[in-house]
Amino acid sequence: MEPLDVLVYLAKFVAFLLIFIPWSLHVVYRFTQTKWALFAKKSHKIPEKLIDDYDHKFVKLSGVRLHYVEEGDMTKPLLLFVHGFPEFWYSWRYQIKHFAKTHHVVAIDQRGYGDSDKPEGVENYSAKVLAQDIQEVIKQLGHEKAILVGHDWGGAVAWFTALIYPEVVSKLIIMNCPHPGAYEKVMRAVKSQILKSWYIGFFQTAWLPEITIGLDDYWALDVAFRSKFAGLKNQQNFTDEDAEAWKATFSQKGALTPPINYYRALVRGRDEAVDIINRVAKPSTLIIWGEEDPFLAIECAEYSQKMCQKAKVAYVPGSSHWVQQDKPEEVNKIMEEFLN
Ligand SMILES: *[C@@H]1O[C@H](CO)[C@@H](O)[C@H](O)[C@H]1NC(C)=O
Ligand SMILES: CC(=O)N[C@H]1CO[C@H](CO)[C@@H](O)[C@@H]1O
């Protein structure tokens, strides 16, 4: 080997060390940053204003202790707000103060959610148990009846409360949630609804839904509440601070399983509930429907109306599934007209 060749060889070797090795390390580093970040847990904190600007309380029921936020005059009629999945009392932030002028406003964390108790086991989240919680909350807060307002799963619980305990519901306001009997009819009649309900099947599996929702710092929550996928055109009402509140709530230990258990209990308990779900809702009912809901076919509104003694449907054009947060002014106005 000539000395010059040796020099060239050495130069290449040094270049290799200087370029290739740092590059490889960089690639490995990037890999750990992105792929491992999928499983990394960031810490989240409830924004101060959620704690300071609202009156937080607890109510003890026969099975669980529930957390709630309260505003307004307790001698006025009770307006009881029940949130959906995956949400908590704060989903009603555009309604709580607004209706406090005219009502005793209470927004609960349903069992298994937020600061409320989270009993174990799928059976503890059956629709009958959830409806019983609502009936007990009304009594414990010193009222005979409530105007019950429910959205999504909170809507389902409100429907079940009206079907099982009609005597405690003076009026029913439902947002983007079908009457349980109507839902089954829509599943048979409207083919697209089966596709829209894909996640209910997924939620029947163990562990996998919890892991998936937690991936990449609860990316699923961003997709659900802040993306076009969710039917959102106007995203201004879901601020970064709101997203932080959501992530702080659902990143608490064991915070995902109880909400998913609602779906597991629904499917397992279907046959037992069959006599309840085909009942007609007796209270005077208002159905508010955000038209751009990717999870529920718009036909659900009309089918639900037919399962009520007396019901009015108000469609909200351009609204996502999260109608009371997406179009608060419209929703509050529709509610006021119905309440007066
Ligand atoms: C339901 O919750 C109670 C506590 O509230 C608990 O004692 C019971 O074991 C739970 N049921 C199941 C099936 O896990
Ligand atoms: C806080 C906020 O951005 N509120 C907006 C929510 O959306 C309505 C339109 O439906 C706006 O009018 C609000 O200002």
Side-chain angles (χ1 to χ4, degrees):
M1 205 184 252
E2 294 297 317
L4 197 64
D5 289 342
V6 172
L7 208 62
V8 169
Y9 182 82
L10 274 177
K12 281 185 182 168
F13 184 68
V14 170
F16 171 81
L17 288 182
L18 286 178
I19 298 165
F20 186 77
I21 291 181
W23 171 249
S24 306
L25 289 175
H26 176 74
V27 168
V28 169
Y29 174 74
R30 295 287 303 172
F31 180 82
T32 61
Q33 286 296 295
T34 53
K35 290 286 190 279
W36 291 358
L38 275 180
F39 299 98
K41 295 285 171 234
K42 290 191 189 149
S43 81
H44 294 282
K45 199 164 163 284
I46 295 280
E48 297 288 328
K49 78 171 184 200
L50 271 73
I51 300 161
D52 298 342
D53 295 1
Y54 297 88
D55 205 355
H56 293 269
K57 297 190 173 168
F58 289 89
V59 58
K60 195 151 171 26
L61 312 180
S62 57
V64 286
R65 193 178 74 137
L66 296 189
H67 165 250
Y68 66 98
V69 157
E70 181 176 61
E71 298 283 337
D73 180 348
M74 294 178 71
T75 62
K76 299 239 169 86
L78 177 62
L79 191 58
L80 181 56
F81 289 99
V82 191
H83 67 80
F85 171 90
E87 301 177 76
F88 59 115
W89 67 270
Y90 192 57
S91 293
W92 302 106
R93 63 195 173 283
Y94 294 111
Q95 284 74 42
I96 293 169
K97 305 270 182 193
H98 184 89
F99 286 97
K101 289 169 247 163
T102 48
H103 291 83
H104 175 200
V105 171
V106 169
I108 60 167
D109 277 338
Q110 293 210 69
R111 67 160 62 200
Y113 277 95
D115 291 331
S116 290
D117 284 352
K118 301 174 179 61
E120 297 205 353
V122 171
E123 293 85 347
N124 274 323
Y125 297 93
S126 74
K128 281 184 199 172
V129 170
L130 299 168
Q132 193 187 325
D133 282 351
I134 302 299
Q135 183 251 10
E136 287 185 30
V137 166
I138 296 168
K139 293 270 140 73
Q140 291 291 331
L141 295 178
H143 291 267
E144 291 280 306
K145 287 165 180 279
I147 303 154
L148 200 51
V149 190
H151 167 257
D152 182 83
W153 246 111
V157 172
W159 281 119
F160 273 103
T161 309
L163 300 178
I164 302 171
Y165 309 101
E167 68 284 356
V168 303
V169 183
S170 60
K171 281 182 174 175
L172 185 61
I173 302 177
I174 301 285
M175 303 180 191
N176 284 63
C177 179
H179 178 295
Y183 182 66
E184 298 212 338
K185 294 194 176 103
V186 172
M187 285 284 256
R188 283 193 289 270
V190 183
K191 291 286 169 286
S192 67
Q193 183 56 51
I194 296 174
L195 286 177
K196 288 178 200 283
S197 303
W198 62 273
Y199 62 94
I200 298 180
F202 177 55
F203 284 175
Q204 300 311 307
T205 60
W207 304 111
L208 211 51
E210 284 90 331
I211 291 171
T212 309
I213 294 173
L215 282 182
D216 202 8
D217 194 32
Y218 299 85
W219 177 72
L221 294 177
D222 290 317
V223 172
F225 290 95
R226 307 184 85 190
S227 73
K228 290 210 167 55
F229 168 78
L232 278 173
K233 297 209 176 76
N234 153 26
Q235 292 170 31
Q236 62 174 340
N237 286 353
F238 292 86
T239 62
D240 290 346
E241 197 179 44
D242 296 339
E244 180 64 12
W246 249 265
K247 290 186 180 184
T249 300
F250 288 99
S251 61
Q252 279 163 33
K253 199 169 177 295
L256 285 175
T257 296
I260 297 167
N261 279 347
Y262 278 49
Y263 290 94
R264 294 173 177 141
L266 184 72
V267 171
R268 292 183 206 174
R270 192 254 162 214
D271 292 341
E272 255 178 71
V274 76
D275 72 301
I276 299 168
I277 68 175
N278 288 312
R279 288 180 196 165
V280 165
K282 291 194 186 117
S284 172
T285 303
L286 168 67
I287 299 167
I288 299 177
W289 205 273
E291 292 186 353
E292 309 288 326
D293 189 330
F295 311 110
L296 292 163
I298 195 163
E299 289 88 346
C300 289
E302 228 177 275
Y303 275 77
S304 299
Q305 189 179 25
K306 288 188 193 133
M307 303 283 295
C308 298
Q309 238 165 42
K310 186 167 173 269
K312 179 179 173 301
V313 178
Y315 293 99
V316 183
S319 166
S320 71
H321 175 67
W322 320 106
V323 63
Q324 81 274 30
Q325 303 175 67
D326 204 6
K327 298 281 174 194
E329 286 161 19
E330 286 93 322
V331 166
N332 291 355
K333 198 159 155 276
I334 295 166
M335 283 179 64
E336 273 163 1
E337 277 164 17
F338 175 71
L339 292 173
N340 294 330

